[in-house]
Structures are given as C-alpha cells and as structure tokens.
Amino acid sequence: MAATTDAGAAAPMSHGRILRALSGLYLGMFVAIVSSTIVTNALPRIITDLRTGQSTYTWVIVSTLLATTVSSPLWGKLADLVSKKALVQLGLLIFAAGSLLSGLATDPATLIAARTVQGAGAGGLLSLTQVIMATMISPRERGRYSGYMGAVLAVGTAGGPLVGGVIVDTRGLGWRWCFFVVVPLALIAMAVLQRNLDLPVRRRKVTVDWAGAALITSAASLLLVWVTFAGDDYAWLSWWSAAMVGGGTLLAVLFVLVETRAAEPIVPLRLFRNRTVALAVVASLLAGVAMYASTTFLSQYFQLSRGQSPTAAGILTLPLILSLAVASAAGGRIITRTGRWKPFLVGGAVLLAVGCALLGLLRHGTPYGVTAAGMACLGVGLGLTLQNLVLAVQNQVRPQELGAASTAVAFFRTLGGTVGVSALGAVLANRVTRYAEPGLARLGVRHAPSSDALPDLGALPAPVRAVVEDAFGHATGSLFLYTVPFALLSVVAILCIKEVPLRTSSALQAAGAAGTGGPEGDGRDHGADLGRPHGA
C-alpha cells in the first residue's frame, strides 16, 4: 500500500518504486509494439505465401485495429471497476493466444480471425498502460515516464521490422515465427507484473455495458466491410452501399441511445461536454489516419515499389521510427520540466501535415532523402501529439474517470486508423490497376493485374515488373496526399484546445486524501473510485 502522510493523503511514490511497477507494463507494451512492427514488415511475404490479395493484406491489419478499437473502451471501463493488474495480465494472455493461433494459420480467414483475438489483447495492453500510469503519476511528472515509454517504443519499433525481416528471410524460420516469438515475451511480462504491480483501489459493484460494446462493434464492422469492397465488388453508389451505410448509421444511433441510458456506459457521453476531451478526441481520430497509413503502407512501398527485401524495408523505415521515439521521449521530459504542453501539440500537428505532404511525393524513383525527410517529419509529429493528447485529457477529468477518458482518446485514434487503413487499402488496389494499365498496354499486355492481387515481383518479366513497381510507387504517394487534409484538420482542432496547467498530484494521492485503500491483488473485488476530482 502507498505510504501516507500525517494528513492521511497518499505520499507520492518514489521514482524507483514507480519504475518497478511500470516494468511489466513497459514489457507488455514492447510485446504489442514488436508484434505489430514485425507483422507489418512481413505481410507482403505472408500474403504471397497464402496466395491471397490486397483485401486480405488490408484486413489482416484492419481486423487487429478493429478489435483493438472496440475493446479499448471496454478495457478502460473495466479498469474503473476491477483490478487493473488482473486486467492487464488477462490482456497479455489473450494477446499470447492470438499470436500463437496466428502463427498456426493456414488460410487467410483463420489468420484474420486469430489477428482479431490478438487485437483484443493489444487493446487491453495499450489502454491499461495509460490508465495505470495516470493512476500512479501526476500529470506534471508523467512526461518523464512517457519518455521512458518512448525508449521502449524506440527499441520495439526499430527492432521489430529488423527482427521480422531477418525471420522472414532466414531459411528454416519463415513468417510464422514472427508470431511465435512474442509468446514467451508476453508470459514473462505477466510474471513481472505479478511481482511488481500493486495499486490501491476500492471495492465497487461491476456493471459492464455489453449492449454498447456489441452495437459499436457491429456498426464499425459493417462500415469497414463497405469501405473495403465498394468500388470493386459493387459500386460506391449502389443499393449494397446504401444498405451498408444505412445499417451502420442506424447501429451507431442505437449505440448513442444505449449509452445515454446505460448505468456504466462503455463510452461515457458526458465526457464530451468537456471541451478539451471533445477536441482531443477529434484530433486523435484525424491523426490516427496518418499514423496507421504510414506504418501499414510504407513497408509495402519499399518491398513492392522499390524491390527491397523485408530486412531492407525495415532498415529504410528507421527515420520514421527513430524520430517518433526521440520526439516522444524528449517532448515528455521538456513538458515535465516546464509544465507547458500545448506548443508541443501544435508543433507536432503541423509537422504531421508536412510529413504527409512530403510522402505524397512518393514515386518509384523518388530519392530516398525526400522519403526519409517525410518520414522524419511524420515521426516527430506523431511523437509530439499522440501521448500529449492523452495527457491533456487526463489532466482535466476526475480521477475515477481516468480509465474511460484515456481509452476514449485511444479508441477514436484507433478508429480513425482503422477506417483510414481500410479505405486507403481499397483506394491503393484500385489506383495500382489504373496506373499500371497504360504501361502494360504499351508492352502488349491486354489485362492489368487484378486490383486485389499482390504481385510476386520475382516471377514477373523485367519490363512488366518495372511497370508494376512504378504503379505501386505512384499509388502510395496518392494515399499520403489523401491524409494531408486530415492532418490539417487536426491542427485546427488542437489550436482550439485551451492549455490548462498540469496537476501536480496523482490519482493515488487523491485516493489517499479520500480515505480509499486496499492494494490490488488482495483477493477482494476492487473498484477505482479514487476520490474526489482535483480541486473539489
């Protein structure tokens, strides 16, 4: 149990104790990040091996993002009701099971289903890490530990593509080991959490909004299916499109109605009455489009347009990865030192737009210096915006709403990325066919490759390969141009956020002042009503 002062309020946890408590969380985050970056870099080889196409490539990513999206609010709500340690361990267990099943998959449907399980576990790891940090550490000091998280991010994101490339390119291993390798890491993280994480919470009756979770999952899934197949299997303006859009809209309306009446809503609508929360959610949703587009399609660009191996593709994306990690770590430390956070958000959003614009210049023959500059701007922009949007929200909500508020921001960021990846994947497939047709016609090839097919470049004649590589390069540049308006809108949303000084007390100190107690893991049914809001 946290130490207390004579006044009864919980004393701040020591630096060493916080690091020990966060060690398992950092390891869990590392597992989730490595799994994502390994798989993204290996996907072109996976899709070729399974003899499938671009829609499967997109859905292997989207299934994980969708599961992460819809599960994050549920994990956040449970974090406000039951033991956070037990929840994050459950998330690791689900994640490990999904990874194992993904490695054993023999067809696209099984792989997508297993990736969905993996995404549900990742949703718990990513959202609960933010919630637990917010519980233990004051907003003013949180930047310091976000910096450590940036270091974890650097190792995971920089090492993942390289390790994944080596695994895929190594005879006797292959892409399946990209999934198998994270399972023992997840089990180690569970053991570290069991030993080191101990949070005071309070008994509370659990009420879970299952109806809300089912409705938002159904609404998002239906709209994503529409975006993926519209323009290929049926026209954008058709009765199929009308039925799917209408059905998705109806389910979304029902979700809002259910949330207004639920005892413990999965997304508390009252949070959006707070201007900072509402604007941060909008900015996160818009930034999510650029974030997931870059991590999904840049590796594919280097492999299918530039003809690089998975290992080389991982090395070539290092400017994005390292700039994101450095900006996150350095920005967090400066915010802790100065207490100012809005200038970093504004600057990050502007760099995000600049990076997307530079990557919009991508073609097959684009000099690598231009590509690296675009990736660096994009990485710095993401590093300065994503964590600090969560920080701005956590600074303005009551301690007992930290879980729901933190995961609301993460939810809409991932939702934006999910919709963006699905839509952009469909656009990419269509544009590749369109850009390839003239060149193939000049070569006497009557039919362009299917818009859903991912080519095996090594099996193509040299002239045809050159045309296909050029088409993939041009199509990828077009995708990033589509993300520029979203990035610019995120700048507008962030400019409208009012900067409020960061609090200097943590939720645990508020809990001590309110007289709550009982460490997690003591066998009781805990809740997270951590006390009165700051200033109450």
Side-chain angles (χ1 to χ4, degrees):
M1 184 179 296
T4 59
T5 66
D6 293 339
M13 294 173 66
S14 68
H15 176 62
R17 185 179 175 190
I18 290 175
L19 283 181
R20 287 193 298 274
L22 292 179
S23 57
L25 293 174
Y26 286 154
L27 184 55
M29 285 283 290
F30 177 79
V31 169
I33 292 165
V34 165
S35 175
S36 175
T37 54
I38 283 179
V39 172
T40 298
N41 205 35
L43 264 177
R45 189 70 59 84
I46 295 172
I47 298 307
T48 300
D49 186 50
L50 294 180
R51 295 183 176 86
T52 184
Q54 180 68 49
S55 62
T56 301
Y57 183 104
T58 301
W59 270 95
V60 169
I61 300 293
V62 166
S63 61
T64 305
L65 290 178
L66 179 60
T68 301
T69 301
V70 299
S71 67
S72 290
L74 183 60
W75 287 108
K77 175 50 61 180
L78 290 174
D80 287 337
L81 302 174
V82 297
S83 166
K84 296 176 182 62
K85 180 166 76 173
L87 283 176
V88 75
Q89 289 177 310
L90 177 62
L92 282 164
L93 187 61
I94 294 173
F95 182 85
S99 300
L100 184 62
L101 292 173
S102 296
L104 296 173
T106 57
D107 58 82
T110 303
L111 178 59
I112 291 171
R115 288 280 289 168
T116 302
V117 175
Q118 195 178 37
L125 298 177
L126 298 175
S127 60
L128 290 170
T129 298
Q130 295 285 352
V131 172
I132 293 172
M133 286 182 64
T135 302
M136 295 192 300
I137 310 165
S138 71
R140 179 65 182 267
E141 292 294 322
R142 205 168 299 146
R144 178 184 189 182
Y145 298 95
S146 294
Y148 297 138
M149 187 179 293
V152 173
L153 180 67
V155 175
T157 52
L162 299 177
V163 173
V166 170
I167 289 174
V168 172
D169 290 337
T170 299
R171 182 172 298 178
L173 291 180
W175 61 264
R176 297 182 186 279
W177 281 94
C178 291
F179 297 104
F180 293 149
V181 74
V182 300
V183 174
L185 294 177
L187 297 178
I188 293 171
M190 290 179 64
V192 173
L193 282 166
Q194 181 63 32
R195 179 179 178 83
N196 294 316
L197 186 62
D198 187 33
L199 296 175
V201 287
R202 183 181 175 185
R203 181 187 299 272
R204 186 179 175 190
K205 183 179 179 181
V206 176
T207 303
V208 180
D209 179 21
W210 297 112
L215 285 170
I216 198 168
T217 302
S218 301
S221 299
L222 187 57
L223 291 174
L224 289 172
V225 169
W226 167 64
V227 168
T228 300
F229 297 108
D232 190 7
D233 291 3
Y234 46 82
W236 287 96
L237 297 177
S238 64
W239 73 269
W240 275 104
S241 292
M244 290 188 177
V245 173
T249 303
L250 177 61
L251 289 169
V253 171
L254 290 175
F255 168 74
V256 172
L257 293 176
V258 167
E259 296 304 274
T260 60
R261 293 169 170 79
E264 296 283 355
I266 193 170
V267 179
L269 300 181
R270 65 180 180 277
L271 292 175
F272 296 94
R273 298 172 189 166
N274 183 303
R275 177 179 173 179
T276 296
V277 173
L279 290 170
V281 160
V282 171
S284 294
L285 188 148
L286 297 168
V289 176
M291 175 184 176
Y292 288 103
S294 62
T295 56
T296 299
F297 297 111
L298 276 174
S299 178
Q300 189 179 30
Y301 164 76
F302 284 119
Q303 293 183 55
L304 297 182
S305 180
R306 305 301 290 265
Q308 301 292 335
S309 69
T311 302
I315 294 172
L316 292 172
T317 55
L318 283 178
L320 169 69
I321 293 161
L322 296 179
S323 61
L324 190 158
V326 171
S328 177
R333 285 185 170 274
I334 297 172
I335 289 171
T336 294
R337 188 178 303 118
T338 64
R340 299 293 306 279
W341 50 268
K342 186 171 179 179
F344 294 91
L345 275 178
V346 175
V350 171
L351 286 173
L352 187 64
V354 172
C356 289
L358 286 174
L359 291 174
L361 302 175
L362 284 180
R363 298 293 186 270
H364 166 67
T366 300
Y368 181 69
V370 175
T371 307
M375 288 190 289
C377 288
L378 186 63
V380 173
L382 291 171
L384 293 179
T385 54
L386 298 181
Q387 294 293 342
N388 292 327
L389 284 170
V390 177
L391 175 64
V393 168
Q394 291 173 342
N395 190 51
Q396 293 217 18
V397 299
R398 297 181 299 169
Q400 60 265 40
E401 292 178 333
L402 280 173
S406 301
T407 51
V409 179
F411 168 80
F412 284 97
R413 179 178 67 222
T414 313
L415 179 63
T418 305
V419 175
V421 168
S422 182
L424 293 174
V427 172
L428 177 68
N430 180 269
R431 287 303 178 99
V432 168
T433 299
R434 180 186 300 181
Y435 294 145
E437 283 177 346
L440 294 176
R442 287 193 296 270
L443 296 174
V445 179
R446 295 184 178 181
H447 301 289
S450 167
S451 64
D452 190 49
L454 283 183
D456 182 357
L457 296 179
L460 297 177
V464 175
R465 173 173 176 164
V467 171
V468 172
E469 288 180 338
D470 183 72
F472 264 96
H474 195 174
T476 305
S478 299
L479 296 190
F480 281 100
L481 285 180
Y482 288 136
T483 65
V484 172
F486 295 97
L488 291 174
L489 288 174
S490 72
V491 175
V492 175
I494 287 172
L495 284 171
C496 295
I497 296 176
K498 181 180 178 181
E499 185 171 25
V500 176
L502 295 176
R503 292 197 304 254
T504 58
S505 61
S506 69
L508 286 184
Q509 291 171 269
T516 62
E520 282 192 349
D522 61 2
R524 294 181 295 173
D525 181 19
H526 302 294
D529 188 1
L530 295 173
R532 298 158 58 193
H534 177 74

